[in-house]
Amino acid sequence: MRLLAAAFAVGVSLAALPAGGAEIYTDHARAPVIVPPKPSDTEYELRWDNGRHGYVINFPAGTWIGNLFDTGTLTARTVKRMRFYSSGAWPNASWDGVNVGLFRFSGIPGARMWGPKFVRGSGPGYRWCEFDVDWVLPKGINRFIAAVEQIYVHPAVDPYCFDTSSTKHRGWKYYAGVWEPLQEDSNLMVRVVLEGEIGVRPISFGRVKALYY
């Protein structure tokens, strides 16, 4: 879709798209994967990515992108933390900060339920950045978008990272007042950690494993 092979070979910008589009880069190819901390016995990580860093994208300032998560088969209701894979090393050798938030979802994304909260990563290279949420999902809300907003203009940005597996079609993008499915070949590296008794119903365990393992 993007003729990525050439870009990987030279490690430079592949394309600059019009406003509302994205800039796609692959100069991170030498970066190691830094594994996030393992959740405790009372925590449960929801993720779509495979943990292997594939490429990065910068969207225009004011763009939210995030992943849809479904807790319908779980009893845990507290969103303890968000995890966002990004870099302070590129493109400007500085962590600039992003907003994070949670949005309702009922067929399409809706109103923001929590946030925005301004956060800034730390540490060298490409890595998992972890931020506290500590927020209980409202009664009746099982599906939500965990999203990150790029609030500054390139190069003062912390890039979005995507994995190396085929997309599971759970990504969403908000720009200029409109939500739309994220048109990427891979999965956004944004995760959430739930806290509490997981309480997976035996009949649903296979579905949960298919979704988040």
Side-chain angles (χ1 to χ4, degrees), residues 100-120:
V100 293
L102 303 177
F103 295 80
R104 292 176 180 267
F105 187 90
S106 181
I108 60 172
R112 187 167 54 236
M113 302 183 293
W114 175 87
K117 178 181 180 179
F118 177 79
V119 295
R120 182 182 285 115

Side-chain angles (χ1 to χ4, degrees), residues 49-78:
D49 67 89
N50 65 4
R52 293 187 291 274
H53 186 194
Y55 60 96
V56 298
I57 292 182
N58 289 320
F59 285 101
T63 301
W64 288 87
I65 67 170
N67 282 331
L68 168 63
F69 296 104
D70 186 344
T71 64
T73 58
L74 309 174
T75 58
R77 304 295 298 167
T78 299

Side-chain angles (χ1 to χ4, degrees), residues 147-192:
V148 178
E149 181 188 22
Q150 200 160 65
I151 56 179
Y152 301 122
V153 176
H154 184 274
V157 294
D158 301 333
Y160 297 105
C161 295
F162 289 79
D163 74 359
T164 59
S165 66
S166 59
T167 180
K168 297 178 176 66
H169 302 289
R170 294 302 191 275
W172 285 81
K173 169 188 169 185
Y174 176 88
Y175 181 73
V178 177
W179 281 101
E180 61 182 0
L182 195 58
Q183 301 298 320
E184 294 300 323
D185 297 329
S186 303
N187 301 289
L188 175 66
M189 298 179 77
V190 169
R191 304 176 178 182
V192 296

Side-chain angles (χ1 to χ4, degrees), residues 41-44 75-78 194-199:
D41 291 340
T42 60
E43 296 180 346
Y44 189 81
T75 58
R77 304 295 298 167
T78 299
L194 299 184
E195 181 183 57
E197 294 297 327
I198 300 304

